[in-house]
Amino acid sequence: MNKIMIVTGGSRGIGAATALMAAQRGYSVCVNYLHNRAAADGVVNSIEKLGRRAIAVAADMASEQDVVRLFENVDKELGRVTALVNNAGVLEKQTRLEGIDAARLTRVFATNVTGAFICSREAVRRMSTKHGGEGGGIVNVSSRASQIGSPGEYIDYAASKGAVDSLTLGLAKEVAEEGIRVNAVRPGFIYTEMHASGGEPGRVDRVKAFAPMKRGGTAEEVASAILWLLSDEASYITGAFIDVSGGR
Ligand code: NAP
């Protein structure tokens, strides 16, 4: 079977590391991005240098129409998807609950939750043996925040990842007999540009001491767990979570 992966938010951070590692393991890769075309093209170039196929597709995971178009592009250009990594995620400025309004909740949930649901739907329609597919794997990039709650920083983001955890549990059971495994990783403090969106680019170095291993993690360390969950080595694992968080 041709291995074809879609990585949402694959232009930077954990998504870019996952896309590259997937190519090293034989996947053709669709690198989705929102705005940063140059970064997405950079990932595609690196993959092509490895002798693998890759395409960059701009699509907003908060838009159902964009998600549907993304999957149709992949059908046409790469073939039927076999692995989906629901990685695109956003957070906003650090604040207590008193600073959160409905518009912010709508933005955060649209990308982190609705995006993961609609992408998963499109993947199931193509992977499920019930729909004539050959099976596949989905990995959701949740966060340790779903269980810690992110007090004083972004409870909204933490709650959106709680929804991603429930999606993982429910969908895993729903499609378990149809050749699809659904799992999640829950990263802790990872060195990426995401923390700048919260207003604190150096956050990992401030909080890393809270992790028993006393360091932040790398995007590659998260990518390794994602690729393992998608591999045949994890063939009897579904509805499971790997915390990639230095013990926290
Ligand atoms: P990042 O460095 O900020 O990269 C975010 C990626 O998502 C970029 O490729 C960005 O595209 C894309 N993106 C953002 N909104 C999008 C949208 N609406 N539609 C499509 N793509 C979108 O983030 P990261 O730290 O690698 O985070 C990746 C995932 O890991 C997220 O789900 C995050 O919640 C989770 N996570 C991260 C940490 C951490 O410490 N970093 C911890 C726990 C969980 P552009 O390049 O076009 O902007």
Side-chain angles (χ1 to χ4, degrees):
M1 182 162 74
N2 270 346
K3 300 202 290 184
I4 298 169
M5 178 182 290
I6 295 173
V7 185
T8 71
S11 49
R12 293 185 286 117
I14 293 167
T18 303
L20 274 172
M21 203 175 283
Q24 284 157 0
R25 301 191 187 180
Y27 284 90
S28 302
V29 187
C30 168
V31 178
N32 158 252
Y33 67 101
L34 181 60
H35 296 306
N36 199 333
R37 164 113 228 163
D41 283 344
V43 176
V44 166
N45 288 341
S46 305
I47 291 174
E48 286 173 345
K49 281 192 191 133
L50 295 168
R52 294 283 161 204
R53 298 187 63 197
I55 54 171
V57 179
D60 183 353
M61 292 304 100
S63 154
E64 182 166 17
Q65 229 184 342
D66 276 21
V67 172
V68 169
R69 178 178 48 76
L70 170 85
F71 276 78
E72 287 171 353
N73 267 6
V74 173
D75 291 339
K76 269 189 241 132
E77 306 219 8
L78 297 177
R80 192 183 282 215
V81 62
T82 62
L84 166 67
V85 182
N86 278 318
N87 167 77
V90 292
L91 50 75
E92 299 199 5
K93 289 277 169 285
Q94 293 175 5
T95 176
R96 282 167 49 96
L97 177 71
E98 294 94 308
I100 296 176
D101 62 13
R104 167 169 160 152
L105 282 169
T106 300
R107 286 191 301 273
V108 170
F109 277 67
T111 298
N112 298 6
V113 183
T114 308
F117 267 79
I118 302 300
C119 282
S120 298
R121 183 194 74 196
E122 292 304 306
V124 167
R125 285 178 177 169
R126 288 161 175 82
M127 293 174 181
S128 170
T129 53
K130 199 176 153 197
H131 301 299
E134 292 177 14
I138 298 175
V139 172
N140 294 323
V141 182
S142 174
S143 171
R144 284 293 293 144
S146 72
Q147 300 190 309
I148 292 165
S150 303
E153 293 191 327
Y154 15 69
I155 300 177
D156 52 346
Y157 168 78
S160 76
K161 295 301 188 178
V164 168
D165 288 0
S166 297
L167 165 65
T168 306
L169 291 168
L171 183 61
K173 292 170 184 158
E174 212 166 274
V175 297
E177 279 188 295
E178 299 164 25
I180 306 174
R181 296 185 297 104
V182 184
N183 294 292
V185 293
R186 284 193 287 232
F189 309 131
I190 310 298
Y191 288 101
T192 71
E193 291 166 7
M194 170 175 253
H195 306 285
S197 313
E200 191 185 3
R203 175 173 176 269
V204 175
D205 284 328
R206 173 176 62 83
V207 295
K208 65 186 179 190
F210 294 121
M213 287 176 71
K214 306 289 180 205
R215 68 170 178 87
T218 65
E220 289 71 23
E221 288 175 308
V222 183
S224 289
I226 294 171
L227 266 299
W228 183 76
L229 283 168
L230 289 169
S231 76
D232 288 342
E233 291 186 13
S235 54
Y236 198 48
I237 297 177
T238 198
F241 296 82
I242 298 183
D243 293 345
V244 188
S245 55
R248 182 169 153 86

